Each structure stands twice: as C-alpha cells, then as structure tokens.
Amino acid sequence: RALDLDLGSSTQTSHRLLAYSDALLSIIATVMILPVAHTKIHPDQKLGESVQQLLLTKIAVYLMTFLIVTVAWAAHVRLFQVIELIDDVLALLNLACMMIITFLPYTFSLMASFPEVPFGIFLFSVCAVVIGLIQAVIVVYGFYHPHLLNQQIQVSENQNFYKRHILKIILRGPILCFLAAIFSFFFIPLSYILLGLVIVFPHLSRFITWCKTKILGQRNEEEEHHSLETFSFYLSEPLSKERVEAFSDGVYAIVATLLILDICEDNVPDPREVREKFHESLLEALSEYGPNYLAYFGSFVTIGLLWFVHHSLFLYVTKATRLMGLLNILSLAFIGGLPLAYQLTSEFAEKSHNEIEAIQVSCVITFFASMFQFAIWTTALLHERETLHPFARYGGKEHAFMFAKLALYPCVSLGAFFLTCLLSEFSTEIFHLMQIVIPFAFLALRIFVRISLTLIKSVMSFSRRKVV
Amino acid sequence: RALDLDLGSSTQTSHRLLAYSDALLSIIATVMILPVAHTKIHPDQKLGESVQQLLLTKIAVYLMTFLIVTVAWAAHVRLFQVIELIDDVLALLNLACMMIITFLPYTFSLMASFPEVPFGIFLFSVCAVVIGLIQAVIVVYGFYHPHLLNQQIQVSENQNFYKRHILKIILRGPILCFLAAIFSFFFIPLSYILLGLVIVFPHLSRFITWCKTKILGQRNEEEEHHSLETFSFYLSEPLSKERVEAFSDGVYAIVATLLILDICEDNVPDPREVREKFHESLLEALSEYGPNYLAYFGSFVTIGLLWFVHHSLFLYVTKATRLMGLLNILSLAFIGGLPLAYQLTSEFAEKSHNEIEAIQVSCVITFFASMFQFAIWTTALLHERETLHPFARYGGKEHAFMFAKLALYPCVSLGAFFLTCLLSEFSTEIFHLMQIVIPFAFLALRIFVRISLTLIKSVMSFSRRKVV
C-alpha cells in the first residue's frame, strides 16, 4: 500500500464508473432494436410473411446482442463486487473493455447477414477473448493492489483462492469463445452451439448444482456451503440491487426516447408538399399525422407505466436473487421490443390490412414484458423472508395493491388481444386510447383495492360474529 | 400526516425516480444530433456550402432542444431539492411531465422547417405551459403533504413563503411561453425573442444581481443574504452534484453508443454485392470499410477519455456552483456534436476534397468540449476553498496532474488543427490514429508530471542551497 501511495495513484470510489458502465451497457443492449423497427415493409405485403422474411435476421441480431450484453454485464457486476475501489488505471482499462463490448453488435450484424461465412463468428470470438483478457488484467491488477479489494476479501487469508475463482468465472466465457473461433474454420454449427453455451452456461451450471443437491440430498450442499461461507456470499450472490435498477432504468429510458426520434424524422411535413398539396395550411398537413401522435403518446404511457411498476416492485425487493435477475432480463428484452410495436401500429394504421396483426404483436410484446415482471414478484414471494420488505409480504399492507399493480398490464394486454379476435371494428386508434387511459386505472386501482379490502374485512368480521 | 397514512400512499425515497429522469432528459437532449449526423451530403458538394445550407436548420433544432431541455432539467433539480420524498401520485405526475418534455424536439423540428408559420411556436409554448402546470401541481401536492418536503423546510415557520418562491421560479418560464404563444399569431419575431429569454433568464437575473451588488456595494447583498439564509441555501444553490454527474453520464453514454448504430446500419456489406463484386470474399469487402472502423475506435476513445477527464475533475469538486453548471452544459452541448464529427470524418474519408475541412470541424468540436471542461476547473479554482477537495487545490498533490489532464485535449486538438493547415498530407487516418494513441499519453502524462515535479523540486532545493 505504501508503494501505491508513493506512485501517487489516487484511489477512488467506483460508484460513478459503474453507473456509466451500466448506462453504456443498457443502451447498447437496447439500441439494436432500431434497425429492426426501421425495416421498411411494403404496405401491400402481408405482415405475417414480411415479418418472417425481412425481420427475422434483424430480430435475431437484436436478441443475440441483448443476451450477450447482459451476460457481459453480469460478469462486470461480479467483477466490481470484488474490486470495490478504483484508480485511474482501472478506469481506463474499464473504458477499453466497454469499447470492445459496444463493438459486439456489429459482429452480430455480420453473422446475421453472412451466416455461412466463418469471419463473423471469428470476429465476435476475438472480441470476446479480448474482453476476457482485459477483465483478467483488471482482476490481477486489483489483487496486486489489495487495498482496492472488497473489505472482506482484503482481510481473508486465502486471497489466492478468491483470485483463482474469480478468474475462472471471468475466463469461462472467453475460453468457450476461443474454441468457437478455432472451430469456425472447420465446422460452423459447432461454433454456434459453443456461443449458445456462453449465454446459458451460468444458468445451466446453477441448474445442475440444484438438481444434484435435490438428488443427493441436502447434506452435500450444506458441507460445501460451510467451507465457503463468506466466499459464496460474494460470488454466488450475483447481482447488486442498485446495478439491476440502474441497468433497467437505462433500458426503459432509451426505449422511451427512441420513439421521439422516429416522430421527428418521419412526421415533419415537407415544406414543398405543404405548399402544393395543402394550400399552405400546416395544420391540415399535420392532421394527417394524427394517428402517429396518438401512437406516440400511447407507447410512451405504456413504457412509463411499466417502469413505474418495476420501480414499485423493486422498492419492496430487498435482495435480487439470480433467478429474479434472469426474469428481469427477459422482461427487459421484451421492453426493448416496444419501439417495434410502436412502429407497427403507427405505420400500418389505416394503410393496410395488417392493422389487427400489428395490434396483436403489440399486445404479445406488452404481455410478456409485464408477465415476466409478475414472475419476478412470484419468485420473490417464494422466499419472501429474504427477498421482500415486510410491507409487501403476505398480509402486509401493500401486498394486495402490489398484486393489483403487477396484474394490470397482463390482464389488459390479454384482454386487448382477445378483443382483436372478436371485434372486426377494433382499430389502432382505440388501442392507443386504451393505452393512454390506463394511468387513470392505476389511480382507480388504489381506491378499488381499498374498497374491496374493507368489504372482505367487514364480511369476515360479520361471519365471525355470526359464528360467535 | 395521519390522513396520509390512512390513505395508504406509501412514501418513498426519490433517488431512483431522479436517476430515471436524468437518464431520460440527457438522452432526449442529445439524441437530436442523429438527424444532423444522418443528413446525406453529396460527395461533389463542397462541405463549406452544404454545411451552411443543409445542416443549419437541423443544428439549430439540436442546439435549441439541448438548451431548453437543460433549462427544464435545472428546474427539475430545484423542484426535487425541495420535495425530497415521493409517493405514487408524484411518480406518475413526474412521468407525465417527462412525456411532454420528450415531445419538445418535435415542436422544434416544426419550427425549424416552418419558421414563418405560427403553429410550431404555438405548439411548443403550449407544451411548456403544460409542463409548468404539472410541476406547479407537484409543488402544491408536496406542500399539502409536508412530510414529503425537505427536512429544513418542513420545520421552518414560513412554509408559505417557500411555496410562493418555488412556484415563482417554476412558473417564470411557462408565463413567458404563454406570452410567446399569444404573440405568435400577431408578430412572430417577438415570440422568438421571448423564447430566447426563457433560456437566458436564470443566468441574466443572476448577472443583474451580481452587477447590482458590485455597483451598490456589499452591504445590500449581505442584508438580503441574512434574511433569507437557510432559504437561499436551498434555492440559489442550483444543482446537486450527483444530478450534474448523472446528467453528464447520460450524455456521454448516449453519444458513445450512437456511433455503433451507424456502423451497423452502413457498414454491413450487401450479400449480393459480395458475391458479384468481391468473388464471395467477405474479408475483401470488409477491407473497404477499414477507415470506418478506425474512425469508430478513434471517436469512441475520444468520448471515453473526455468522460474520464470529467470524472476525474468531479472527483475533486465538492460543490457545483451555478456558473460551473452552465459551463458543464456548454461542454456537453459540444460533446453531443461528436457523432457529427464521426460522420464527417468517416463519410468523407478519401471520397471528396473535404477531408481537411471534416478534420477541422472535428478538432473545433473537441477543442470547445475540452476547453469548457478546463473552464469548469478554472472557475472552481477561483473559490477553491468552497468548491475543491484539498488534494486538487494549489499545492495539493493532485493539482499539477489534474491541470495536465485537463490541458491535454485542448492542446492536442489545437495542434491537430494547425497541422491540417500546414501539412497537405494530413489525412483522416492519421487523425484517427492520433485519437487512438492519446490514452497512452494519459499514462505517460503521470510519469512526465512526476519527473518534472521532481526536477523542479531538486532545482529549487539546489538554488536554495546556493543562496545559503
């Protein structure tokens, strides 16, 4: 430590560096929806076919980017749970790491456009290996300057053990990628399988351990748990709640702002057209875009309220387990699809026969996004003593209201979906008006929950009195 | 308060709501550079003319959006320095406010395309008035539930005075906009002047007060200061340091990620072209894009390092004064222009005679962005006892190094600019290579500063010995 002070490298808290990394990673994960949303679909084509033909590769790029970036993000969270303080060198190394991660979407674009050429997968693997190496350098640097480490690891006796373990976790993905790079020149399908492994590996290994303990009984796990107690506390607990929130906020924020970009690029009328077609009346020209404005406000309200539900949920979550983190990421992947829903419902409004299909796609996206939020809540309830604030547990004063909040969007989107099947008159206008009205439902909900709770209580006390 | 608990509205910390608002506002402020950067310029045109003709309105939209959003952001910061806790109603009101703010860029696009039609300015003014009204509702709601307020205001006796004052600050802009909306139908130039006033008003009023105290002497100010002591502590101190950092992080993050979008949309070769033109060799097709990759990495490094400088600076800043906030926003406005610089240097590489001009524009943008950062530092040094950590003050152990860090980018960009004037051989490749090499300069800098400090010390002690 004396040496380090001699070198004059000033130690800093990592808070802002992590916030910046979270912002970068969440934006890069989500922004690849733009090429999907901007795909021009000819109005005469049926949406069903064109989705299959045109959008499939782009959606694949979006999903692959999203999942790989979240894996990289999870590794980053782990890494900086071990290294708690930073200095200038670590900050620069982290920025270098971010630079390579933001380049990943391009390699996916190459892969999706040329699936049978090995170069795309080779380039991706090289990037992944470089990221792994930089992170390994960060770990080695951190353990070489122990005052940067987590307090608990700093005082522990087997620092070397920690170091080897964290290196193993960080280099696991890059080694698989390295193999994928080699195989890409001989047998491409194997490379794709290896890359798929990178994404599922953390969850797979967790699942295998879980199965093992179920089959071999509790004893084995307890033994293991005992020897690595403090250790597993830091490394198996994958996600700090603040960083889950920061990452989610980034996704919600970028999705909400991508919408206005489209409005600004597509819905400003051409001055010449206004002069010739609308006799210099700007208002008349703008009234053509009415449905787009409605679509914009409807989509923004949906995104804003889904954020609001997420925010309310995480107010009462005290600890984010690994499964909750996974469900959150799945929810966010669908949230990222909302600009596509906006584009479909505003582009196809009135123009083609695909209106109903567009609304159905929107409903499906909203349904899954909100359903995975609901699943986070259900998972939290399973271990409510560890993961939930007393207010939100069974019988807590906010429990019923939280349930209602989380159930609202799945119900509404399911309802809208069935309405599209039943009513042939259902249009995008009605759909967007529905979206805009929902916030008032939130306020009504609180009153409704309150009344029904009072009713239940009075009925209960009434029946009890009867029994007595 | 008892009533409030009865209603069951759960009080929450506002931390995450503010972080989300900061993310939304910073993205919306910056994202309008995309239409500027995506303007297609014909390779045969001279850049000088086309910049003037094509880009001017779009750049105006970008700058107006950026400045107005920062004004709205500053008002938002003030507001939530008074209201420290939130509940569901406030969260929903805040989201409604954000929705209208994100719609503002569209009204600017209308204004820029149809400067002589009153509708654009009318729409903008209506939005601004609605924002003001929502914020006023937030204030009234907050003062109606005093437990949500700042502790110091909560215990103070003249709450009504605070309420009136904060309402005055918040409604000042909207009232000017309301006037602008009315005048837009009679005399449009006056409306534009009124809108300009909204942006400069806070700084103007500050400047006038400052002049007054300089002319009338210190006594008057002291008197005023005494009567409103705790009050001015909260309302004249405009910006909490965390929110300045969060807003800046958002801008840097979105700028860094906009680059990869362009790469993914423009630089993936067409499969048919590869088959016909490059005989199925993907590598050959990609080698055409070599300069683009170089431009991408060069630009990312520049943005990353400017963030790093900002981060290092704010580590040692203990308080962000109003002037520092203004300088920071000016610096961020130029940072937001970096995607344009990227587009110019990568698009024009080798294709036209405008290469040198493109590099010069990049240098100018980088120079001003880093120069305003330097100005923040100079301003902080003027009141170093209040605004800087002891390490960074004159004679502090990090002072010289911080100076070198902040001076690096202004010097490099100025140097590059003069090189373009002197050398006709200077190309975008060399420019981007320069950008990529700079991080190593950062590491070399620390060693250089250390050596020169040691040299100065030894020379000083040598000369002192001579004197003795």
Side-chain angles (χ1 to χ4, degrees), chain B residues 177-198:
Chain B
C177 289
F178 183 70
L179 291 177
I182 293 172
F183 280 114
S184 68
F185 291 106
F186 308 116
F187 187 59
I188 294 178
L190 187 62
S191 307
Y192 282 110
I193 292 171
L194 284 171
L195 288 194
L197 259 183
V198 176

Side-chain angles (χ1 to χ4, degrees), chain A residues 162-177:
Chain A
Y162 281 104
K163 183 171 152 186
R164 248 177 296 132
H165 190 90
I166 186 84
L167 275 179
K168 213 168 74 188
I169 289 176
I170 279 168
L171 290 177
R172 203 163 52 186
I175 286 170
L176 282 175
C177 288

